[in-house]
Amino acid sequence: MRKILTVLGARPQFIKASVVSHAIAQTSGLTEVVLHTGQHFDANMSAVFFEELGMNKPDHFLGIHGGTHGAMTGRMLDAIEQVLLVERPSAVLVYGDTNSTLAGALAAVKLHVPVAHVEAGLRSFNMAMPEEVNRILTDRISRWLFTPTQAAAEHLRREGAAPRGIVEVGDVMYDVALHHGRRVRHDGGAMARLGLAQKCYVLATVHRAENTDDPQRLAAIVDALQATAHQLPVVWPLHPRTRAVLQQAGRLESLAHHVHLIEPVGYLDMVQLEKYAALIATDSGGVQKEAFFHQVPCVTLRDETEWVELLKSGWNRLAPPTDAESVAAAIGAALGSRGAAVQPYGSGDAAQRIARGLADDLARL
Ligand code: UDP
């Protein structure tokens, strides 16, 4: 039996792991131990996903969150190493691009434990983003590079990654969306609580540091969403970081008169809000793709995106939040639009392919 130690810490990682952990459990020759760093710790940013998505409680919980990027990553590195020394896994599995991803990969490679990176090869080509630094460094020290898209695999080839390490599996988020998208209906749930009708509202999410930490960009987004709300209801589940910044800027109360500002919702409520929205405006990577999975037009509140396939196919458009007018215009232009019929994220079996790939390779090591 080969032991995989999975390092998780943030909301999108719990969602991605829900399908991969399930696939690992179904794969003979593999067993999994889950470590939660604590990076996201509020019940509605963490526990709700373990409950809703049928995941086991983490075997290790480090309770590390807050502080500067360096301090948080350093504390995680130290604590993850202690767990690895006790658990002695055959491989460490990490997801995406957070500080938990980098700390898990670095702790493992220093102990000569091979690293598997799910969502390898994504690039924004913007090194000012903490996520870009985390993902490039993690890719560089990973033995298995499980890529979600062709573009991601090409980035890795161009950067000189060992070809045998690049495994094109598709996007695990597509697996999750396929599984849960079917279950979700328009009646009940968050839509009923908010009194929203199908295809008659805009869903917004904002949490990237480049937007929350820049008062001008955040104001452009807030003003654009407020203007949109004159036309259609806008529902905005507020990430804790965004709530804190809006509160500090004194924008929260007045905004709440125009927009449905709600706490972060669980995955099933989120899928419902996405699936039945007229449009999604977001700076989230996962939400951009989920908009496409549910065939909803998307406006991305960023200067660039890692998910370039959706720009090319017309499902998504960039609206750099430099001023409110251009963002509101992008939302207006995207409403009612549709993209081309494309399938860039695999066949919905990425999780099984990851588990099988690890089992086969580890049996040979
Ligand atoms: N999500 C959720 N509830 C929310 C907001 C987002 O369940 O209130 C889910 C969303 O459906 C997607 C994931 O969280 O699956 C995206 O996470 P996030 O936007 O935090 O991170 P990113 O994808 O940008 O790394």
Side-chain angles (χ1 to χ4, degrees):
M1 208 52 136
R2 299 296 185 147
K3 187 195 283 181
I4 311 278
L5 188 137
T6 297
V7 176
L8 304 175
R11 172 169 67 187
Q13 295 167 336
F14 311 138
I15 295 167
K16 291 165 197 166
S18 68
V19 282
V20 180
S21 293
H22 182 71
I24 291 174
Q26 308 274 305
T27 303
S28 63
L30 291 184
T31 170
E32 186 186 33
V33 170
V34 174
L35 179 157
H36 184 328
T37 61
Q39 188 171 343
H40 283 171
F41 55 95
D42 291 333
N44 59 10
M45 294 292 286
S46 172
V48 66
F49 300 102
F50 286 84
E51 284 153 24
E52 275 191 347
L53 302 176
M55 299 165 73
N56 293 333
K57 279 219 171 83
D59 303 281
H60 299 272
F61 184 75
L62 304 183
I64 298 173
H65 51 79
T68 60
H69 280 277
M72 190 203 294
T73 312
R75 278 152 63 214
M76 287 177 184
L77 180 63
D78 187 6
I80 295 170
E81 184 176 62
Q82 302 304 320
V83 176
L84 293 181
L85 288 169
V86 174
E87 291 284 358
R88 304 211 156 273
S90 300
V92 163
L93 179 61
V94 295
Y95 292 85
D97 53 25
T98 68
N99 292 338
S100 301
T101 314
L102 178 60
L106 196 50
V109 80
K110 294 268 186 189
L111 294 174
H112 306 291
V113 178
V115 177
H117 187 201
V118 175
E119 241 182 32
L122 291 178
R123 297 289 179 266
S124 66
F125 301 100
N126 175 359
M127 286 296 278
M129 285 179 77
E131 294 91 341
E132 182 77 350
V133 175
N134 289 339
R135 57 171 88 99
I136 289 176
L137 296 178
T138 302
D139 283 342
R140 189 67 188 80
I141 56 178
S142 292
R143 157 75 179 72
W144 293 273
L145 296 159
F146 292 115
T147 57
T149 60
Q150 253 176 28
E154 276 156 29
H155 294 148
L156 292 167
R157 281 189 210 105
R158 207 172 312 132
E159 290 171 12
R164 70 181 176 99
I166 303 171
V167 195
E168 299 185 47
V169 291
D171 190 343
V172 292
M173 278 210 145
Y174 182 41
D175 300 19
V176 192
L178 277 180
H179 185 71
H180 296 286
R182 287 193 205 104
R183 296 205 289 159
V184 167
R185 321 201 78 82
H186 64 87
D187 42 348
M191 284 173 68
R193 290 199 298 277
L194 296 165
L196 298 171
Q198 289 182 62
K199 301 292 165 191
C200 291
Y201 61 92
V202 169
L203 172 67
T205 80
V206 177
H207 75 287
R208 296 247 95 80
E210 70 213 44
N211 288 331
T212 58
D213 297 359
D214 182 327
Q216 264 183 332
R217 287 172 73 95
L218 190 62
I221 293 170
V222 167
D223 292 343
L225 291 175
Q226 204 161 302
T228 303
H230 292 307
Q231 208 185 330
L232 278 175
V234 174
V235 52
W236 184 353
L238 276 180
H239 189 283
R241 180 200 294 164
T242 316
R243 178 177 287 278
V245 175
L246 286 174
Q247 179 96 62
Q248 220 171 16
R251 295 288 318 245
L252 211 49
E253 268 186 32
S254 59
L255 185 61
H257 291 304
H258 303 274
V259 170
H260 293 282
L261 295 179
I262 59 174
E263 289 296 313
V265 293
Y267 184 72
L268 297 178
D269 270 342
M270 189 63 182
V271 170
Q272 186 200 38
L273 289 173
E274 289 172 338
K275 189 172 166 182
Y276 297 107
L279 177 135
I280 297 176
T282 188
D283 63 6
S284 158
V287 176
Q288 285 173 59
K289 283 176 297 162
E290 286 165 349
F292 163 69
F293 298 148
H294 304 300
Q295 306 280 282
V296 174
C298 184
V299 168
T300 292
L301 305 165
R302 288 182 50 193
D303 299 348
E304 71 279 307
T305 177
E306 298 77 18
W307 306 102
V308 289
E309 317 68 33
L310 297 179
L311 299 179
K312 282 186 207 135
S313 58
W315 285 102
N316 191 4
R317 61 188 77 203
L318 292 177
T322 45
D323 60 282
E325 293 70 29
S326 64
V327 174
I331 291 174
L335 269 170
S337 71
R338 284 186 68 79
V342 290
Q343 198 178 356
Y345 299 115
S347 326
D349 60 354
Q352 281 101 313
R353 295 171 68 156
I354 289 167
R356 186 79 285 162
L358 287 173
D360 290 350
D361 279 2
L362 287 171
R364 279 196 292 268
L365 281 186

PDB file of all heavy atoms in Angstrom, residues 11 14-15 18 43-55 265-267:
ATOM      1  N   ARG A  11     -10.423  27.157   0.232  1.00  0.00           N
ATOM      2  CA  ARG A  11     -11.726  26.735  -0.298  1.00  0.00           C
ATOM      3  C   ARG A  11     -11.664  25.963  -1.618  1.00  0.00           C
ATOM      4  O   ARG A  11     -12.199  24.852  -1.697  1.00  0.00           O
ATOM      5  CB  ARG A  11     -12.605  27.978  -0.425  1.00  0.00           C
ATOM      6  CG  ARG A  11     -13.918  27.744  -1.130  1.00  0.00           C
ATOM      7  CD  ARG A  11     -14.838  28.932  -0.976  1.00  0.00           C
ATOM      8  NE  ARG A  11     -14.357  30.112  -1.660  1.00  0.00           N
ATOM      9  CZ  ARG A  11     -14.922  31.309  -1.567  1.00  0.00           C
ATOM     10  NH1 ARG A  11     -15.989  31.488  -0.799  1.00  0.00           N
ATOM     11  NH2 ARG A  11     -14.456  32.339  -2.213  1.00  0.00           N
ATOM     12  N   PHE A  14     -10.449  22.354  -1.258  1.00  0.00           N
ATOM     13  CA  PHE A  14     -11.351  21.351  -0.665  1.00  0.00           C
ATOM     14  C   PHE A  14     -12.266  20.804  -1.773  1.00  0.00           C
ATOM     15  O   PHE A  14     -12.542  19.610  -1.835  1.00  0.00           O
ATOM     16  CB  PHE A  14     -12.204  21.951   0.460  1.00  0.00           C
ATOM     17  CG  PHE A  14     -11.408  22.739   1.476  1.00  0.00           C
ATOM     18  CD1 PHE A  14     -11.877  23.956   1.985  1.00  0.00           C
ATOM     19  CD2 PHE A  14     -10.181  22.273   1.924  1.00  0.00           C
ATOM     20  CE1 PHE A  14     -11.138  24.686   2.904  1.00  0.00           C
ATOM     21  CE2 PHE A  14      -9.431  23.000   2.849  1.00  0.00           C
ATOM     22  CZ  PHE A  14      -9.916  24.214   3.333  1.00  0.00           C
ATOM     23  N   ILE A  15     -12.719  21.733  -2.624  1.00  0.00           N
ATOM     24  CA  ILE A  15     -13.652  21.348  -3.694  1.00  0.00           C
ATOM     25  C   ILE A  15     -12.955  20.412  -4.685  1.00  0.00           C
ATOM     26  O   ILE A  15     -13.494  19.364  -5.054  1.00  0.00           O
ATOM     27  CB  ILE A  15     -14.210  22.623  -4.370  1.00  0.00           C
ATOM     28  CG1 ILE A  15     -15.050  23.408  -3.353  1.00  0.00           C
ATOM     29  CG2 ILE A  15     -15.015  22.278  -5.617  1.00  0.00           C
ATOM     30  CD1 ILE A  15     -15.412  24.819  -3.774  1.00  0.00           C
ATOM     31  N   SER A  18     -12.313  16.925  -3.273  1.00  0.00           N
ATOM     32  CA  SER A  18     -13.461  16.046  -3.009  1.00  0.00           C
ATOM     33  C   SER A  18     -13.525  14.922  -4.039  1.00  0.00           C
ATOM     34  O   SER A  18     -13.795  13.776  -3.696  1.00  0.00           O
ATOM     35  CB  SER A  18     -14.771  16.842  -2.990  1.00  0.00           C
ATOM     36  OG  SER A  18     -15.088  17.326  -4.279  1.00  0.00           O
ATOM     37  N   ALA A  43     -16.167  28.367   9.242  1.00  0.00           N
ATOM     38  CA  ALA A  43     -17.002  27.211   8.879  1.00  0.00           C
ATOM     39  C   ALA A  43     -17.489  27.318   7.439  1.00  0.00           C
ATOM     40  O   ALA A  43     -17.493  26.334   6.698  1.00  0.00           O
ATOM     41  CB  ALA A  43     -18.178  27.108   9.838  1.00  0.00           C
ATOM     42  N   ASN A  44     -17.870  28.549   7.010  1.00  0.00           N
ATOM     43  CA  ASN A  44     -18.415  28.664   5.641  1.00  0.00           C
ATOM     44  C   ASN A  44     -17.334  28.766   4.568  1.00  0.00           C
ATOM     45  O   ASN A  44     -17.640  28.893   3.384  1.00  0.00           O
ATOM     46  CB  ASN A  44     -19.427  29.818   5.542  1.00  0.00           C
ATOM     47  CG  ASN A  44     -18.825  31.154   5.917  1.00  0.00           C
ATOM     48  OD1 ASN A  44     -17.611  31.263   6.080  1.00  0.00           O
ATOM     49  ND2 ASN A  44     -19.655  32.170   6.066  1.00  0.00           N
ATOM     50  N   MET A  45     -16.075  28.721   4.971  1.00  0.00           N
ATOM     51  CA  MET A  45     -14.976  28.683   3.993  1.00  0.00           C
ATOM     52  C   MET A  45     -14.274  27.329   4.020  1.00  0.00           C
ATOM     53  O   MET A  45     -13.360  27.092   3.233  1.00  0.00           O
ATOM     54  CB  MET A  45     -13.941  29.774   4.320  1.00  0.00           C
ATOM     55  CG  MET A  45     -14.420  31.197   4.179  1.00  0.00           C
ATOM     56  SD  MET A  45     -14.760  31.653   2.463  1.00  0.00           S
ATOM     57  CE  MET A  45     -13.103  31.818   1.783  1.00  0.00           C
ATOM     58  N   SER A  46     -14.655  26.467   4.981  1.00  0.00           N
ATOM     59  CA  SER A  46     -13.924  25.208   5.126  1.00  0.00           C
ATOM     60  C   SER A  46     -14.845  24.032   5.458  1.00  0.00           C
ATOM     61  O   SER A  46     -15.131  23.201   4.600  1.00  0.00           O
ATOM     62  CB  SER A  46     -12.838  25.384   6.206  1.00  0.00           C
ATOM     63  OG  SER A  46     -12.231  24.175   6.513  1.00  0.00           O
ATOM     64  N   ALA A  47     -15.352  23.962   6.698  1.00  0.00           N
ATOM     65  CA  ALA A  47     -16.097  22.776   7.144  1.00  0.00           C
ATOM     66  C   ALA A  47     -17.275  22.447   6.236  1.00  0.00           C
ATOM     67  O   ALA A  47     -17.561  21.278   5.969  1.00  0.00           O
ATOM     68  CB  ALA A  47     -16.583  22.979   8.582  1.00  0.00           C
ATOM     69  N   VAL A  48     -17.960  23.491   5.728  1.00  0.00           N
ATOM     70  CA  VAL A  48     -19.152  23.252   4.907  1.00  0.00           C
ATOM     71  C   VAL A  48     -18.822  22.377   3.696  1.00  0.00           C
ATOM     72  O   VAL A  48     -19.621  21.532   3.282  1.00  0.00           O
ATOM     73  CB  VAL A  48     -19.798  24.595   4.480  1.00  0.00           C
ATOM     74  CG1 VAL A  48     -18.907  25.398   3.548  1.00  0.00           C
ATOM     75  CG2 VAL A  48     -21.135  24.369   3.795  1.00  0.00           C
ATOM     76  N   PHE A  49     -17.631  22.513   3.148  1.00  0.00           N
ATOM     77  CA  PHE A  49     -17.278  21.737   1.951  1.00  0.00           C
ATOM     78  C   PHE A  49     -17.019  20.273   2.299  1.00  0.00           C
ATOM     79  O   PHE A  49     -17.391  19.381   1.551  1.00  0.00           O
ATOM     80  CB  PHE A  49     -16.080  22.378   1.237  1.00  0.00           C
ATOM     81  CG  PHE A  49     -16.394  23.776   0.806  1.00  0.00           C
ATOM     82  CD1 PHE A  49     -15.927  24.864   1.516  1.00  0.00           C
ATOM     83  CD2 PHE A  49     -17.221  24.000  -0.278  1.00  0.00           C
ATOM     84  CE1 PHE A  49     -16.260  26.154   1.152  1.00  0.00           C
ATOM     85  CE2 PHE A  49     -17.571  25.284  -0.656  1.00  0.00           C
ATOM     86  CZ  PHE A  49     -17.088  26.368   0.060  1.00  0.00           C
ATOM     87  N   PHE A  50     -16.379  20.049   3.458  1.00  0.00           N
ATOM     88  CA  PHE A  50     -16.144  18.662   3.887  1.00  0.00           C
ATOM     89  C   PHE A  50     -17.483  17.957   4.100  1.00  0.00           C
ATOM     90  O   PHE A  50     -17.651  16.808   3.725  1.00  0.00           O
ATOM     91  CB  PHE A  50     -15.289  18.642   5.160  1.00  0.00           C
ATOM     92  CG  PHE A  50     -13.841  18.969   4.889  1.00  0.00           C
ATOM     93  CD1 PHE A  50     -13.413  20.281   4.819  1.00  0.00           C
ATOM     94  CD2 PHE A  50     -12.924  17.956   4.664  1.00  0.00           C
ATOM     95  CE1 PHE A  50     -12.083  20.585   4.540  1.00  0.00           C
ATOM     96  CE2 PHE A  50     -11.592  18.245   4.386  1.00  0.00           C
ATOM     97  CZ  PHE A  50     -11.169  19.563   4.321  1.00  0.00           C
ATOM     98  N   GLU A  51     -18.442  18.698   4.695  1.00  0.00           N
ATOM     99  CA  GLU A  51     -19.754  18.086   4.957  1.00  0.00           C
ATOM    100  C   GLU A  51     -20.521  17.858   3.664  1.00  0.00           C
ATOM    101  O   GLU A  51     -20.940  16.743   3.370  1.00  0.00           O
ATOM    102  CB  GLU A  51     -20.578  18.989   5.887  1.00  0.00           C
ATOM    103  CG  GLU A  51     -20.121  18.927   7.332  1.00  0.00           C
ATOM    104  CD  GLU A  51     -20.439  20.201   8.098  1.00  0.00           C
ATOM    105  OE1 GLU A  51     -21.368  20.933   7.695  1.00  0.00           O
ATOM    106  OE2 GLU A  51     -19.734  20.474   9.092  1.00  0.00           O
ATOM    107  N   GLU A  52     -20.670  18.915   2.865  1.00  0.00           N
ATOM    108  CA  GLU A  52     -21.513  18.830   1.658  1.00  0.00           C
ATOM    109  C   GLU A  52     -20.967  17.882   0.610  1.00  0.00           C
ATOM    110  O   GLU A  52     -21.714  17.254  -0.122  1.00  0.00           O
ATOM    111  CB  GLU A  52     -21.591  20.210   0.987  1.00  0.00           C
ATOM    112  CG  GLU A  52     -22.640  21.108   1.531  1.00  0.00           C
ATOM    113  CD  GLU A  52     -22.815  22.331   0.628  1.00  0.00           C
ATOM    114  OE1 GLU A  52     -21.981  22.583  -0.254  1.00  0.00           O
ATOM    115  OE2 GLU A  52     -23.803  23.037   0.846  1.00  0.00           O
ATOM    116  N   LEU A  53     -19.652  17.814   0.522  1.00  0.00           N
ATOM    117  CA  LEU A  53     -19.052  17.037  -0.565  1.00  0.00           C
ATOM    118  C   LEU A  53     -18.634  15.644  -0.090  1.00  0.00           C
ATOM    119  O   LEU A  53     -17.911  14.931  -0.792  1.00  0.00           O
ATOM    120  CB  LEU A  53     -17.866  17.804  -1.181  1.00  0.00           C
ATOM    121  CG  LEU A  53     -18.239  19.199  -1.722  1.00  0.00           C
ATOM    122  CD1 LEU A  53     -17.012  19.949  -2.223  1.00  0.00           C
ATOM    123  CD2 LEU A  53     -19.270  19.109  -2.848  1.00  0.00           C
ATOM    124  N   GLY A  54     -19.089  15.275   1.094  1.00  0.00           N
ATOM    125  CA  GLY A  54     -18.885  13.905   1.578  1.00  0.00           C
ATOM    126  C   GLY A  54     -17.431  13.537   1.816  1.00  0.00           C
ATOM    127  O   GLY A  54     -17.011  12.421   1.540  1.00  0.00           O
ATOM    128  N   MET A  55     -16.654  14.492   2.332  1.00  0.00           N
ATOM    129  CA  MET A  55     -15.230  14.213   2.566  1.00  0.00           C
ATOM    130  C   MET A  55     -14.980  13.846   4.020  1.00  0.00           C
ATOM    131  O   MET A  55     -15.665  14.340   4.917  1.00  0.00           O
ATOM    132  CB  MET A  55     -14.397  15.453   2.224  1.00  0.00           C
ATOM    133  CG  MET A  55     -14.523  15.875   0.782  1.00  0.00           C
ATOM    134  SD  MET A  55     -13.909  17.539   0.547  1.00  0.00           S
ATOM    135  CE  MET A  55     -12.132  17.286   0.674  1.00  0.00           C
ATOM    136  N   VAL A 265     -21.217  31.224   0.506  1.00  0.00           N
ATOM    137  CA  VAL A 265     -22.184  30.127   0.546  1.00  0.00           C
ATOM    138  C   VAL A 265     -21.468  28.794   0.345  1.00  0.00           C
ATOM    139  O   VAL A 265     -20.331  28.753  -0.126  1.00  0.00           O
ATOM    140  CB  VAL A 265     -23.285  30.301  -0.531  1.00  0.00           C
ATOM    141  CG1 VAL A 265     -24.156  31.498  -0.213  1.00  0.00           C
ATOM    142  CG2 VAL A 265     -22.682  30.433  -1.931  1.00  0.00           C
ATOM    143  N   GLY A 266     -22.153  27.709   0.694  1.00  0.00           N
ATOM    144  CA  GLY A 266     -21.612  26.371   0.464  1.00  0.00           C
ATOM    145  C   GLY A 266     -21.587  26.068  -1.029  1.00  0.00           C
ATOM    146  O   GLY A 266     -22.116  26.835  -1.840  1.00  0.00           O
ATOM    147  N   TYR A 267     -20.987  24.947  -1.380  1.00  0.00           N
ATOM    148  CA  TYR A 267     -20.788  24.651  -2.803  1.00  0.00           C
ATOM    149  C   TYR A 267     -22.112  24.464  -3.542  1.00  0.00           C
ATOM    150  O   TYR A 267     -22.280  24.948  -4.658  1.00  0.00           O
ATOM    151  CB  TYR A 267     -19.898  23.409  -2.953  1.00  0.00           C
ATOM    152  CG  TYR A 267     -19.570  23.118  -4.394  1.00  0.00           C
ATOM    153  CD1 TYR A 267     -18.685  23.929  -5.105  1.00  0.00           C
ATOM    154  CD2 TYR A 267     -20.148  22.046  -5.059  1.00  0.00           C
ATOM    155  CE1 TYR A 267     -18.396  23.685  -6.432  1.00  0.00           C
ATOM    156  CE2 TYR A 267     -19.857  21.797  -6.396  1.00  0.00           C
ATOM    157  CZ  TYR A 267     -18.978  22.617  -7.074  1.00  0.00           C
ATOM    158  OH  TYR A 267     -18.698  22.370  -8.396  1.00  0.00           O
TER     159      TYR A 267
END
